[in-house]
Amino acid sequence: MSAPEITTVAADRCDIGESPVWDERTGLLYWVDITPGTIHRIDPATGARQRWEFGEPVGALGLCRSEKLVVALKSTVILFDPRDGSRQLLAAVTHKKPEMRLNDGKVGPDGAFWVGSMDASGEANPAGVLYRVAADGGVSVITEGFRISNGLAWDGAGTRMYHSDSRGIWVDIYDFDPVSGAASNRRRWLELDELTGRPDGGACDIDGNYWSGGASASRLNCFSPEGKLLRWVTLPNLRPTMPCFGGPDLTTLYVPSLSTGVPAEDLAKWPLCGAMVSFASGTRGVPVGRFAD
């Protein structure tokens, strides 16, 4: 398959651009820049932008059934209304170490917010936890022992959950009940390497494939349900993170990236490092869930 045409969506350089989410109701794309603690929004049709600051790391966000967003901050999960800027505490977690923060998160088919944590000290200790945050603010610990909890995604039926440790370097799958939110029968699905790409954020398409940001390999990988590498797309933003499907028909893949820790000489060679890019995927994405607020 020929290489797709890559479009620059937002050229500004994020420290850690992450958690892109397409809002099909409004045709707007959201994402976060983790370390400065900002949420960004763009209308890809017009280029109109908006930005909100939170004064602490923002790990991830998801859409709500209302017009609000569910947002993971350093150690709390809040409901944020982009219409008036209001913020409401929903839940809090107690990290095992002071340097830890919440990281990759996504709303599941069960209407809960799934979010993991990581050690942000640079040591990447296996202290990360995967949580499920319910609409009433109840927090459940699903499993523990991750260096960087990442890669959450669900297949179209909502019965298979993907979860990675991008410093592991692996991807696990779980059997998932989209009604109760029960995740069971965890098993190792992929063992990866730096050349293929550390498994950062993930997204599923309607064909059952799993798209994984290969941050260390400057590419986006597409794996079949059986774990076979079907294709990859080399990207100009050097350190791609979480992909998401968007556009009116969910056929466009949006991919932000990070620039933190990249040497100055590489930043000079890769002017889109930290930027958001997009391309036509050739398939359709699975619609993301909405938080049951």
Side-chain angles (χ1 to χ4, degrees):
M1 183 177 291
S2 60
E5 180 180 353
I6 308 295
T7 298
T8 301
V9 179
D12 40 314
R13 178 164 281 167
C14 285
D15 285 358
I16 308 178
E18 269 283 8
S19 194
V21 177
W22 175 261
D23 186 346
E24 79 285 355
R25 295 180 183 175
T26 62
L28 300 173
L29 178 71
Y30 291 88
W31 73 100
V32 308
D33 191 356
I34 295 180
T35 45
T38 52
I39 290 178
H40 297 258
R41 186 176 73 185
I42 191 169
D43 181 345
T46 66
R49 297 280 302 270
Q50 196 154 355
R51 179 176 179 270
W52 296 271
E53 298 183 1
F54 289 81
E56 61 179 293
V58 180
L61 60 81
L63 304 175
C64 296
R65 293 177 186 173
S66 66
E67 298 303 317
K68 298 177 183 177
L69 303 176
V70 56
V71 179
L73 302 181
K74 184 176 187 292
S75 58
T76 59
V77 176
I78 68 168
L79 296 178
F80 169 65
D81 193 332
R83 295 168 297 183
D84 60 13
S86 61
R87 306 169 189 197
Q88 173 189 347
L89 177 65
L90 177 68
V93 302
T94 301
H95 294 307
K96 297 179 180 180
K97 298 177 60 182
E99 300 89 353
M100 292 183 68
R101 63 167 173 81
L102 293 175
N103 192 49
D104 179 84
K106 192 169 286 187
V107 178
D110 57 333
F113 186 55
W114 293 71
V115 63
S117 61
M118 61 171 283
D119 177 7
S121 68
E123 298 176 1
N125 291 310
V129 179
L130 178 62
Y131 301 99
R132 177 183 184 270
V133 182
D136 63 1
V139 179
S140 303
V141 173
I142 304 303
T143 186
E144 305 180 55
F146 310 108
R147 289 178 171 84
I148 302 180
S149 177
N150 227 321
L152 285 166
W154 287 263
D155 68 359
T159 56
R160 173 185 273 201
M161 182 177 81
Y162 295 86
H163 179 240
S164 73
D165 187 332
S166 48
R167 290 288 184 181
I169 306 170
W170 46 257
V171 182
D172 282 352
I173 54 175
Y174 297 72
D175 295 334
F176 193 81
D177 185 328
V179 177
S180 68
S184 61
N185 191 25
R186 175 188 174 190
R187 59 231 186 247
R188 189 59 36 89
W189 183 61
L190 288 178
E191 296 273 2
L192 293 168
D193 54 51
E194 298 284 333
L195 292 178
T196 306
R198 292 193 304 271
D200 205 285
C204 289
D205 65 32
I206 59 170
D207 303 313
N209 303 318
Y210 177 75
W211 295 76
S212 173
S216 59
S218 302
R219 69 193 209 183
L220 188 65
N221 293 310
C222 177
F223 297 96
S224 74
E226 296 73 36
K228 178 183 178 182
L229 180 59
L230 300 177
R231 62 179 291 207
W232 67 86
V233 178
T234 301
L235 296 174
N237 50 0
L238 186 64
R239 294 289 179 261
T241 55
M242 180 200 287
C244 89
F245 287 90
D249 49 5
L250 295 182
T251 60
T252 300
L253 270 165
Y254 291 95
V255 192
S257 60
L258 62 86
S259 63
T260 294
V262 176
E265 57 268 28
D266 287 334
L267 292 176
K269 293 176 186 175
W270 298 79
L272 290 178
C273 184
M276 169 84 73
V277 300
S278 69
F279 63 92
S281 68
T283 184
R284 290 181 59 238
V286 173
V288 296
R290 284 185 176 265
F291 188 68
D293 66 322

